[in-house]
Amino acid sequence: VAEGPARQRLLLATTAAALAVAAMLARLAPRWPVALAVAGAAIAWSARGHNAVDNGLLGGMLDAVHLLAGATWAGALGLLMVDLRRRDPGVDVLTVARRYARLAAILVGVLAAAGIGSAVLLLDRLSDLWSTGYGQTLTIKTGLFAGALGLAAVGRRALGRRQVSRLRRVTPVEAGLLASVLVLTAVLV
């Protein structure tokens, strides 16, 4: 994306996504100092990444939003796995899973939008997806992300059918794919 209106629209969309993530973090009222520290760390990390170096504020914002959404999704999924393994009658795992599913749907949308925005900025042409090392790694990462989304859909269906045992089986596999995405992300940064 060169200069002009398309870049401005992308910056506006990124700002809106950042505000959406900030609003979700703000819901952590008693833990806002932790949320603020995490957001600050994401911004600091993103400010030194290649997207920020190559594309300035827009690239840094896209990376920060992408990082925050991905980290929140991964952390929430980890907590869901812990709750699904509990046999505590005081914990309604279906309620926990429903809350996670609502949050994850928003996070995945923000994550995908920021990832697409970054790809638009960092790849000069579509053929870079298969002709450059960065593009090939990004393609593999996207495939693993799609696999995690597929398993999330299976989990969502199990949730709708109140099949806790299926949720317990699918969630760790989804988490494994997500962990693979995080490893590949480290390569891309």
Side-chain angles (χ1 to χ4, degrees):
V1 174
E3 297 299 321
R7 188 176 186 93
Q8 290 171 348
R9 284 191 297 274
L10 191 55
L11 182 59
L12 184 60
T14 303
T15 303
L19 291 173
V21 170
M24 284 190 293
L25 291 174
R27 292 188 68 189
L28 301 173
R31 295 182 272 305
W32 70 266
V34 173
L36 188 61
V38 168
I43 291 167
W45 179 270
S46 298
R48 58 187 205 95
H50 64 274
N51 202 4
V53 170
D54 292 348
N55 297 296
L57 179 63
L58 177 59
M61 286 180 64
L62 281 167
D63 277 357
V65 167
H66 193 74
L67 180 60
L68 282 170
T72 305
W73 181 27
L77 183 59
L79 290 174
L80 176 62
M81 284 178 31
V82 169
D83 283 339
L84 285 172
R85 293 289 170 219
R86 285 188 187 161
R87 303 290 187 209
D88 182 355
V91 175
D92 179 7
V93 293
L94 290 173
T95 299
V96 171
R98 278 188 204 95
R99 288 180 181 161
Y100 162 78
R102 283 191 299 269
L103 174 65
I106 295 166
L107 292 170
V108 164
V110 170
L111 183 69
I116 290 167
S118 288
V120 166
L121 290 177
L122 292 168
L123 300 173
D124 292 328
R125 56 197 157 277
L126 186 61
S127 64
D128 287 350
L129 285 171
W130 55 87
S131 65
T132 67
Y134 181 87
Q136 292 165 357
T137 304
L138 182 59
T139 301
I140 294 167
K141 177 183 167 185
T142 303
L144 291 170
F145 175 71
L149 289 180
L151 288 171
V154 170
R156 192 105 154 148
R157 187 170 186 208
L159 178 60
R161 294 180 174 184
R162 305 181 58 81
Q163 297 172 327
V164 175
S165 62
R166 178 172 256 185
L167 272 173
R168 286 186 175 125
R169 287 190 311 269
V170 166
T171 305
V173 181
E174 177 186 349
L177 283 175
L178 188 54
S180 300
V181 169
L182 294 175
V183 169
L184 281 173
T185 299
V187 171
L188 291 175
V189 173

